[in-house]
Amino acid sequence: MLGTILIISNTIASHSLIINDTLVYKLITVASNADKGFKLTDYLKPSIELLIAILGAIGLIFKYLANKKKEFDEKVSVQKRGAYSEFLMNFTETAIQIMYEQEITGIEADRQRMLARDKLLLFANDKVIKKYHEWVEYSDSENSDVDKEVEIFGELLIEIRKDILGKSKVTKEEISNLNPF
């Protein structure tokens, strides 16, 4: 083993590499000078300190990345709230126009509705999008029932609350009083 280490050491030295401060060089030196009274622990102490420093740096990197993820999640949360708010404002405006039997036409009304929907599709979680799809499909069907439509929309509102707040104890019945229909 000592012979192998000496061969490796000589090979490295013959390639003119400067490795005097590396752990490998120190271990090779210790192994080749073992009979001269060198102790391995003399060389491991700086290595342990280096290892502790590296682990500390890794810990700082993880903390930094965790903070960045938290900041990103907060930005997404703000975007979600904005998307949901815009969607509900657009829905409310449309509901008021329907209640007063006003015609819902015009390029600007369509643009606002599509932009609100696009933000919803961009930032909402999967459950909200699926519930939105269910509500739109049912509303557009020929045999839709207003009560069932209101129920599905209430479920959509509950899913939105769950997405923003993480959970919701509000039931469909309780939220139906907030529904404009």
Side-chain angles (χ1 to χ4, degrees):
M1 167 112 175
L2 184 59
T4 305
I5 292 175
L6 288 174
I7 292 171
I8 292 171
S9 175
N10 290 336
T11 304
I12 292 173
S14 69
H15 287 90
S16 301
L17 294 175
I18 301 173
I19 59 168
N20 292 340
D21 290 335
T22 65
L23 178 61
V24 173
Y25 179 79
K26 289 178 181 181
L27 288 175
I28 290 171
T29 305
V30 166
S32 64
N33 296 322
D35 57 332
K36 296 181 182 178
F38 286 98
K39 296 179 184 175
L40 185 61
T41 56
D42 293 340
Y43 294 98
L44 287 180
K45 184 178 179 187
S47 300
I48 291 172
E49 291 171 355
L50 178 64
L51 181 64
I52 290 171
I54 290 171
L55 290 175
I58 290 172
L60 288 175
I61 290 170
F62 279 125
K63 185 176 181 180
Y64 172 78
L65 292 175
N67 284 340
K68 280 296 188 185
K69 181 174 178 0
K70 184 178 178 182
E71 289 175 12
F72 175 76
D73 290 346
E74 288 174 5
K75 287 179 183 179
V76 169
S77 179
V78 167
Q79 293 291 333
K80 278 185 178 189
R81 286 186 186 118
Y84 290 144
S85 178
E86 190 173 327
F87 167 73
L88 292 173
M89 282 193 290
N90 182 274
F91 174 79
T92 302
E93 289 296 321
T94 304
I96 290 171
Q97 290 175 339
I98 291 171
M99 286 170 42
Y100 287 98
E101 298 177 2
Q102 294 179 355
E103 194 169 322
I104 307 167
T105 59
I107 192 168
E108 190 58 36
D110 288 342
R111 178 180 289 121
Q112 287 178 353
R113 191 169 28 265
M114 292 175 87
L115 288 173
R117 184 207 59 210
D118 290 348
K119 283 186 179 179
L120 185 72
L121 294 174
L122 189 61
F123 292 107
N125 72 14
D126 292 349
K127 289 181 180 180
V128 172
I129 292 172
K130 288 178 181 183
K131 192 54 73 173
Y132 173 79
H133 174 73
E134 180 184 343
W135 173 63
V136 169
E137 288 292 315
Y138 186 80
S139 298
D140 290 345
S141 67
E142 290 182 20
N143 58 352
S144 65
D145 175 46
V146 174
D147 291 334
K148 178 70 174 170
E149 188 176 334
V150 168
E151 179 183 330
I152 296 171
F153 187 75
E155 292 170 359
L156 173 63
L157 292 176
I158 290 172
E159 289 300 328
I160 289 173
R161 286 179 52 83
K162 286 180 183 176
D163 189 25
I164 292 175
L165 303 174
K167 61 181 178 179
S168 180
K169 294 181 181 178
V170 178
T171 64
K172 289 185 282 188
E173 292 78 29
E174 293 167 334
I175 211 160
S176 67
N177 292 331
L178 299 172
N179 198 330
F181 293 111

